[in-house]
Amino acid sequence: MAEDDHLTNLVRSTLRSAGRQLAEARQAYDDAKRSAQEDLPVDEQGQARIVCRRHAERRTVRLDEEGRPHCLDADHPDCQGCIEDIADGTVETW
């Protein structure tokens, strides 16, 4: 009985791990696809490498379906400028 419980726990743990890895791979693929559509360089996880205008620092960011960084503050003028730069293809990257 204890052996069956151990095997069941091992299978569950392995399936959970595989599920997490699959979700991470899907997310990396989606991130890279969106970044490529915007013609931006990406890191190993597929996130766009941009220079944040608001914080004046290098960042890797996920882009949403409309090509906007996930860190976007729609009310901040620097963030609005970043969106315009991404759309124009002039955003600073690294």
Side-chain angles (χ1 to χ4, degrees):
M1 290 268 188
E3 216 173 285
D4 288 341
D5 291 340
H6 177 71
L7 183 58
T8 300
N9 289 336
L10 178 63
V11 169
R12 284 184 183 156
S13 174
T14 303
L15 288 175
R16 272 190 238 117
S17 177
R20 281 191 296 274
Q21 289 175 1
L22 180 60
E24 290 170 2
R26 282 184 181 157
Q27 186 64 58
Y29 173 79
D30 289 343
D31 288 344
K33 184 177 174 183
R34 286 188 197 108
S35 296
Q37 288 172 340
E38 298 299 330
D39 198 27
L40 297 172
V42 296
D43 68 358
E44 298 80 27
Q45 287 79 35
Q47 296 183 345
R49 297 184 316 185
I50 65 170
V51 176
C52 175
R53 290 174 62 163
R54 181 175 181 181
H55 298 286
E57 66 184 12
R58 293 177 175 182
R59 286 191 171 183
T60 56
V61 295
R62 293 182 54 220
L63 300 178
D64 66 11
E65 292 78 23
E66 296 176 23
R68 298 177 305 198
H70 74 279
C71 56
L72 174 71
D73 178 356
D75 296 327
H76 198 281
D78 285 338
C79 291
Q80 292 171 357
C82 183
I83 297 301
E84 293 168 5
D85 288 351
I86 289 173
D88 295 342
T90 59
V91 68
E92 189 174 347
T93 62
W94 52 279

